[in-house]
Amino acid sequence: STDGGRNLSLDSIPMGLPMSDPTAWATAMNNLGMAPMGMTGQPLLPDFDPALGMMTGIPPINPMMPGLGIVPPPIPPDMPAVKEIIHCKSCTLFPPNPHLPPPATRERPPGCKTVFVGGLPENGTEQIIMEVFEQCGEVIAIRKSKKNFCHIRFAEEFMVDKALYLSGYRIRLGSSTDKKDTGRLHVDFAQARDDLYEWECKQRMLAREERHRRRLAEERFRPPSPPPVVHYSDHECSVVAEKLKDDTKFSEAIQTLLTWIERGEVNRRTANNFYSMIQSANSHIRRLVNEKAAHEKEMEEAKEKFKLALSGILVQFEQIVAVYHSASKQKAWDHFTKAQRKNISVWCKQAEEIRNIHNDELMGIRREEEMEMSDEEIEDPSEMKETEESALVSQVEALKEENDSLRWQLDAYRNEVELLKQEQGKASRDEDTTKEQQMKLLQQALQGMQKHLLKVQEEYKKREAELEKVKEDKLKIEALLENLKEQESSTSRVCACSQEKECPLEKTLSNSPVKSEREVLLVGIISTFLHVHPFGASIEYICSYLQRLDSKICTAEVEVLMTRLQNTFRQELSGVGASLEKRWKFCGFDGLKMT
């Protein structure tokens, strides 16, 4: 029967092989890289370990070594595998023509464990199919059709690859040559619902394992949750108040205070405690301001060090450039080769460019410092008034804060008085005398606080009146200043007109602003330079260009000459704030029209 053939034990099948080739099946399996098996499914090698590729119990040897009589030598990968005749108990398998192309197969379905076997002999039984294909691995089920084909399901996926090796073989039952006893095997992948279901289950299991692994990794790298904030009590309040005074524990304590306030722990009984903690938090601002001032001082010291180091670097650059210039003179220049002269000139240009960049950086730093110093030194009377006004405003704000603090204290005292009144009705008569004394003391304190509050309010009103007077005086002074400026401008115009009427001849006979031929040459060179720079150039940039022509030219001389020629050169300010810069422009064409 079918079940009997399927459950047939391997030990009951004899090992008798025909005389043709006892190692044919071993050679075929070796071509697939599998352990050599007997016809009954038993390994030809005792205790063969496929994971290690060696026999256990003896020193390790290589079963692929030629000459051992176990497996023939390996076949090169570029040569096709040689298929040989396979003899079974009830049939014989003949290999296909090696020159023919390999048999075609369909695309392998996922998790495929079932193969389609076509071309079976008409007289082939399920027992013969089991006998041929059980050499490839454990067979789970065989579904045979009446039309010379069947489906075979194996236990593992790799067994399907072994079964595909038999595709193309010609099968013959016994020694008969009848057409019904022969056939050509065609083995291909088959799509089965059971294989797909098992593969999907396996994929889901792998996905679950991967999710579990990722969850463990996320939990391992997740930061720990912050510790819970304790509930409010008098003891915890005193602890937090002490921590607020400590710089190292301030952040923890301020977080606890914030949580308490947001929870709604503030009430009439605990208001004073919370107010004292808020005061401690406010006093921490002074420590932060002092710390910031210390850091600013360190930053200023670092800036000073950087400036000194940069000036030292510039001095060394000047020395190097001087060496290059001295080497470029004719005394030493004639002794160098062309390549050496080229290298020296290139090095000199590079050094001059780097020096100019560092020099501009240092000049920028000094210019910023000069701007800061000039801003600090120049103080107008209006600024003095503004400082006085700001001082008064700060005093008024301080009085406001003191007034608010006194009001809060007054509310706290009133709350305490109301609590005492409530407790007075519940307490015994013996404690009435002490409570009356406390009430009197509290009433006296309230009276004193009210008097002090009235004084503070009067001072606040006086300061406000003084502030209004100062503002009125400031407006008057500004009006006077504007009148004086208008008077000065009118008088200057009148004087200019009178001078032009009285001495027209003196202007015509006045001396020329250019006094020598050298100054004429300088004016021409500067005009040409500024004509190329239509947006103007700084006096340092102009002097650096002129010093290349004559090193004796100084900045003061050039600036005096340009200020004398107001119709030829004009000075303008560009930039805002710290980047304010004076630039000279050429205006000779406009000046020619004016003159």
Side-chain angles (χ1 to χ4, degrees):
S1 65
T2 304
D3 297 334
R6 196 177 303 166
N7 299 324
L8 188 63
S9 64
L10 296 176
D11 295 335
S12 63
I13 300 174
M15 282 291 292
L17 292 176
M19 297 298 292
S20 62
D21 190 0
T23 61
W25 186 260
T27 305
M29 292 297 103
N30 177 60
N31 291 332
L32 286 176
M34 307 169 190
M37 303 287 290
M39 295 305 297
T40 59
Q42 296 177 349
L44 294 177
L45 298 178
D47 299 331
F48 182 82
D49 189 355
L52 300 176
M54 63 181 68
M55 291 181 292
T56 57
I58 60 172
I61 61 174
N62 185 4
M64 305 296 288
M65 291 174 59
L68 294 178
I70 303 172
V71 176
I75 301 171
D78 55 346
M79 292 181 62
V82 179
K83 297 184 178 181
E84 299 185 11
I85 299 173
I86 300 174
H87 296 277
C88 299
K89 181 180 177 181
S90 304
C91 62
T92 306
L93 301 176
F94 297 93
N97 188 357
H99 300 292
L100 293 176
T105 57
R106 61 178 294 178
E107 185 180 358
R108 181 167 188 159
C112 180
K113 296 181 184 179
T114 305
V115 295
F116 165 83
V117 181
L120 294 171
E122 293 184 11
N123 294 332
T125 61
E126 191 171 336
Q127 185 176 1
I128 294 173
I129 297 170
M130 176 69 75
E131 182 181 348
V132 173
F133 285 95
E134 70 180 354
Q135 305 293 336
C136 302
E138 183 183 356
V139 177
I140 300 298
I142 296 176
R143 294 190 297 273
K144 189 174 181 304
S145 176
K146 297 179 181 179
K147 295 183 180 182
N148 303 331
F149 70 88
C150 70
H151 289 85
I152 304 173
R153 189 162 189 260
F154 292 97
E156 299 295 337
E157 293 183 25
F158 69 89
M159 300 174 184
V160 174
D161 299 322
K162 295 181 182 181
L164 287 175
Y165 178 77
L166 300 176
S167 183
Y169 268 82
R170 288 179 292 109
I171 184 171
R172 189 178 69 187
L173 303 180
S175 58
S176 175
T177 58
D178 189 6
K179 189 176 180 180
K180 295 183 179 181
D181 294 332
T182 59
R184 184 181 295 275
L185 297 180
H186 174 69
V187 186
D188 197 357
F189 299 108
Q191 191 168 5
R193 288 193 297 270
D194 295 340
D195 298 343
L196 182 62
Y197 176 73
E198 289 182 3
W199 181 79
E200 289 177 350
C201 291
K202 187 177 180 180
Q203 294 300 317
R204 285 195 291 268
M205 182 183 69
L206 293 175
R208 283 195 299 271
E209 291 178 356
E210 182 65 22
R211 287 196 299 271
H212 180 66
R213 196 179 299 109
R214 288 181 182 175
R215 194 180 300 113
L216 291 178
E218 290 175 358
E219 290 178 357
R220 191 181 302 114
F221 293 107
R222 185 181 299 162
S225 58
V229 179
V230 296
H231 292 282
Y232 176 81
S233 64
D234 292 338
H235 173 69
E236 294 295 337
C237 179
S238 60
V239 172
V240 171
E242 292 297 327
K243 286 183 179 180
L244 287 171
K245 298 175 183 177
D246 190 358
D247 293 341
T248 59
K249 302 178 181 178
F250 179 80
S251 58
E252 178 186 355
I254 199 71
Q255 187 64 33
T256 305
L257 178 60
L258 177 63
T259 306
W260 284 349
I261 294 174
E262 289 178 351
R263 284 179 181 174
E265 300 288 348
V266 183
N267 51 34
R268 291 183 179 180
R269 187 176 63 83
T270 60
N272 290 332
N273 295 333
F274 276 97
Y275 179 74
S276 63
M277 287 190 286
I278 293 170
Q279 268 187 333
S280 300
N282 186 34
S283 63
H284 188 72
I285 296 173
R286 298 177 184 174
R287 295 197 291 270
L288 294 177
V289 170
N290 293 333
E291 187 176 353
K292 182 190 172 189
H295 288 305
E296 287 179 350
K297 186 177 179 182
E298 291 177 358
M299 187 175 69
E300 293 295 332
E301 292 176 355
K303 282 185 180 178
E304 193 66 27
K305 288 180 181 178
F306 174 71
K307 191 171 69 175
L308 293 174
L310 191 59
S311 60
I313 291 170
L314 280 174
V315 170
Q316 294 180 8
F317 268 117
E318 293 290 345
Q319 294 172 354
I320 294 169
V321 171
V323 169
Y324 288 142
H325 285 305
S326 61
S328 301
K329 292 180 180 178
Q330 192 171 2
K331 292 180 181 179
W333 192 253
D334 295 338
H335 299 286
F336 295 119
T337 62
K338 288 184 178 180
Q340 291 173 347
R341 292 176 186 176
K342 186 177 179 181
N343 289 335
I344 291 171
S345 60
V346 170
W347 294 340
C348 182
K349 288 180 182 179
Q350 291 177 354
E352 286 179 350
E353 289 176 359
I354 298 172
R355 180 198 62 185
N356 292 334
I357 291 170
H358 285 75
N359 194 8
D360 293 341
E361 188 175 356
L362 185 61
M363 291 297 294
I365 294 171
R366 289 177 178 172
R367 210 175 290 122
E368 289 178 0
E369 291 180 353
E370 288 176 0
M371 292 295 295
E372 291 176 359
M373 293 295 292
S374 62
D375 291 340
E376 291 177 358
E377 289 176 358
I378 299 171
E379 292 182 357
D380 295 334
S382 61
E383 292 181 357
M384 296 294 290
K385 291 290 184 182
E386 287 177 359
T387 54
E388 292 178 0
E389 183 179 352
S390 62
L392 288 171
V393 170
S394 61
Q395 289 179 2
V396 169
E397 290 177 355
L399 288 171
K400 282 182 179 179
E401 291 179 358
E402 189 176 359
N403 189 8
D404 293 335
S405 64
L406 289 172
R407 284 178 180 173
W408 293 336
Q409 291 181 6
L410 186 61
D411 292 336
Y413 282 126
R414 285 176 179 171
N415 293 334
E416 290 181 1
V417 169
E418 289 177 1
L419 289 172
L420 288 173
K421 286 180 179 179
Q422 291 176 2
E423 293 175 0
Q424 185 178 6
K426 299 178 182 178
S428 60
R429 295 179 181 178
D430 297 331
E431 297 176 353
D432 289 340
T433 55
T434 56
K435 288 184 179 179
E436 286 177 0
Q437 291 176 0
Q438 290 179 357
M439 287 288 292
K440 289 179 181 179
L441 292 173
L442 288 171
Q443 288 176 358
Q444 291 176 1
L446 281 171
Q447 291 175 0
M449 294 292 290
Q450 288 176 353
K451 290 179 181 179
H452 185 63
L453 183 61
L454 292 172
K455 289 180 181 178
V456 168
Q457 289 178 351
E458 290 176 0
E459 289 179 2
Y460 175 71
K461 291 178 181 179
K462 290 179 181 178
R463 293 296 174 87
E464 283 185 345
E466 290 176 2
L467 183 61
E468 291 177 356
K469 288 181 181 179
V470 168
K471 288 182 180 178
E472 291 175 359
D473 294 340
K474 182 181 176 182
L475 294 173
K476 290 178 181 178
I477 289 169
E478 288 178 354
L480 289 172
L481 285 172
E482 290 178 356
N483 293 329
L484 287 172
K485 286 180 181 178
E486 292 176 358
Q487 291 176 4
E488 286 178 0
S489 63
S490 61
T491 52
S492 63
R493 290 173 185 171
V494 171
C495 291
C497 294
S498 61
Q499 286 178 3
E500 288 177 359
K501 291 178 182 178
E502 290 174 1
C503 30
L505 294 174
E506 292 179 2
K507 283 188 180 181
T508 57
L509 298 174
S510 61
N511 294 329
S512 175
V514 181
K515 297 179 181 179
S516 63
E517 186 177 359
R518 173 185 171 82
E519 291 184 353
V520 171
L521 291 172
L522 287 175
V523 169
I525 293 168
I526 294 168
S527 301
T528 305
F529 180 77
L530 290 177
H531 187 63
V532 178
H533 296 78
F535 297 104
S538 62
I539 190 69
E540 291 86 0
Y541 188 23
I542 297 170
C543 291
S544 66
Y545 174 73
L546 293 174
Q547 284 174 359
R548 294 182 182 177
L549 305 174
D550 187 0
S551 60
K552 296 179 182 180
I553 296 174
C554 62
T555 308
E557 179 184 359
V558 176
E559 192 169 6
V560 169
L561 177 61
M562 294 175 74
T563 51
R564 273 191 275 145
L565 300 171
Q566 296 180 357
N567 293 328
T568 307
F569 306 106
R570 182 173 69 251
Q571 189 179 19
E572 294 183 354
L573 295 176
S574 63
V576 179
S579 62
L580 193 65
E581 186 179 8
K582 296 179 180 179
R583 290 179 175 269
W584 287 91
K585 289 187 177 181
F586 178 73
C587 60
F589 299 114
D590 299 334
L592 184 63
K593 296 177 183 178
M594 293 172 62
T595 55

